[in-house]
Amino acid sequence: MTHRIGIIGGDGVGPEVVAEAMKVVDAAGVAYTPVVFDLGGARYLRDGEVLPDADLEAIRGLDAVMLGAVGTPEVAPGVLERGLLLRLRFELDLFVNLRPFVAGPSSLNDGVDMVVIRENTEGVYAGEGGFLRKGTPNEIATQGSVNTRLGVERCVRFAFELAASRGRKHLTLVHKTNVLQFAGDLWQRVFDEVAAEFGSVETAYHHVDAACIYLVQDPARYDVVVTDNLFGDILTDLGGAVSGGIGRAASANLNPTRTSPSVFEPVHGSAPDIAGTGKADPRAAIVSAAMMMEFLGKEDAAQRVREAIEKTEDVTGSTSEIGDAIAEQVQ
Ligand code: NAI
Ligand code: MG
């Protein structure tokens, strides 16, 4: 069966790293039909469209989407994040954002092998809030955090299932329960309830500020971490920085119930500072593509890509030279 894969290169280094990721998918022998979408800052500046309904409907019919990154300095912050990235996450119900961090021998933190599960559809990113008296000296802005039992529980359950399937079987809840007494209370209660069903998984709880210290000082202590949308966004940039750099941090926006396609993308953005220079490391996008292959049932191809990345750990060079080296190793 040929998978239909949506390709959203996006802006800046996005199309550069996605090209290398698909080069490696080709080399791994996974057959697919690419469905290319012209979305991102360039499209928005040209015709004002961020995610036309027709494109969204076309995406719904696909098996998976590979996304580079969106954002250009000319587009106001928020337009593409809310209109494209968050809209895809909400519309396709991509409720798990899975971000693995595996540090290789060349990293200061060799031995780190952790996964962060970030809730991907709620929290402060749900867009609840508003302005009162905007633009006046008395203006008020509120930004609420939305936490539903259903949303928290399905994410926490996914994290327990993942932890139970791994060697260490350890899961840490990260939140700020001492201050966020409502959202934190719901997260903690749901976590404890689901924990009772997973006797084999050892659990821990860390406040998010303490987790930042531990991630820098002793990241190898973590196996699986589950957290809310905002904390997960921040923690995973830090996770990337301590495990080989943002050029290697991959992510999957999953709809585990498979009622719509999942979206795979590097953690990094469009990096306008290095776009067009060939300095972008394509590994984050390539690992994201490996996660996509695994999700599509091509575990063997995904494993070969992971091994090829390990074997080419020390390869330096341009974006396409690194992609070529990994593709060659995969064949
Ligand atoms: P960024 O991740 O694009 O860049 C941060 C730093 O990391 C820069 O110094 C950049 O050169 C470096 N970097 C990023 N990717 C790299 C790679 N593959 N190899 C080597 N170095 C790399 O984040 P920034 O600067 O905050 O955002 C730039 C634009 O990207 C903004 O428009 C932002 O909104 C957008 N963005 C989009 C995301 C997405 O599409 N999912 C995620 C994050 C940011
Ligand atoms: Mg981020």
Side-chain angles (χ1 to χ4, degrees), residues 255-309:
N255 177 323
T257 59
R258 296 179 191 257
T259 51
S260 49
S262 293
V263 177
F264 299 81
E265 56 167 336
V267 169
H268 64 75
S270 58
D273 53 336
I274 56 168
T277 66
K279 285 186 190 154
D281 191 331
R283 287 180 177 91
I286 294 170
V287 177
S288 305
M291 295 169 81
M292 175 172 73
M293 289 186 252
E294 193 169 21
F295 197 72
L296 293 174
K298 302 283 187 263
E299 285 93 354
D300 167 66
Q303 186 53 29
R304 278 187 285 123
V305 170
R306 292 204 174 90
E307 284 165 13
I309 288 174

Side-chain angles (χ1 to χ4, degrees), residues 1 9 11 32 42 53 90 105 159 177 195 233 244 256 264 271 276 280 310:
M1 193 194 93
D11 302 305
Y32 66 94
D53 291 341
F90 297 156
T177 55
D233 191 358
F264 299 81
E310 264 172 48

Side-chain angles (χ1 to χ4, degrees), residues 182-292:
F182 312 120
D185 189 76
L186 177 61
W187 273 85
Q188 184 75 68
R189 272 185 291 120
V190 169
F191 185 83
D192 292 345
E193 278 169 32
V194 179
E197 296 171 35
F198 289 85
S200 68
V201 177
E202 198 188 331
T203 61
Y205 169 79
H206 291 159
H207 292 317
V208 64
D209 39 359
C212 290
I213 299 174
Y214 299 143
L215 257 181
V216 170
Q217 290 186 340
D218 180 22
R221 71 158 65 206
Y222 290 113
D223 178 20
V224 182
V225 169
V226 64
T227 190
D228 86 348
N229 207 338
L230 174 63
F231 296 146
D233 191 358
I234 299 165
L235 270 191
T236 51
D237 269 26
L238 184 54
V242 301
S243 62
I246 192 74
R248 302 197 174 199
S251 85
N253 299 277
L254 299 179
N255 177 323
T257 59
R258 296 179 191 257
T259 51
S260 49
S262 293
V263 177
F264 299 81
E265 56 167 336
V267 169
H268 64 75
S270 58
D273 53 336
I274 56 168
T277 66
K279 285 186 190 154
D281 191 331
R283 287 180 177 91
I286 294 170
V287 177
S288 305
M291 295 169 81
M292 175 172 73

Side-chain angles (χ1 to χ4, degrees), residues 73-120:
E74 299 80 31
V75 178
V79 173
L80 299 167
E81 289 86 345
R82 293 216 73 83
L84 181 59
L85 299 175
L86 295 189
R87 184 151 178 240
L88 278 178
R89 291 172 189 179
F90 297 156
E91 292 277 358
L92 304 178
D93 205 17
L94 308 174
F95 64 84
V96 163
N97 191 319
L98 188 118
R99 298 184 166 185
F101 300 100
V102 181
S106 65
S107 159
L108 279 180
N109 288 308
D110 184 18
V112 169
D113 182 0
M114 64 179 286
V115 183
V116 178
I117 308 290
R118 160 186 173 192
E119 199 293 318
N120 213 24

Side-chain angles (χ1 to χ4, degrees), residues 21-30 32 293 301 304-305 323-324 326-331:
M22 299 323 290
K23 185 191 280 178
V24 172
V25 173
D26 287 336
V30 173
Y32 66 94
M293 289 186 252
R304 278 187 285 123
V305 170
D324 285 342
I326 295 170
E328 204 168 298
Q329 191 66 237
V330 165
Q331 275 161 349

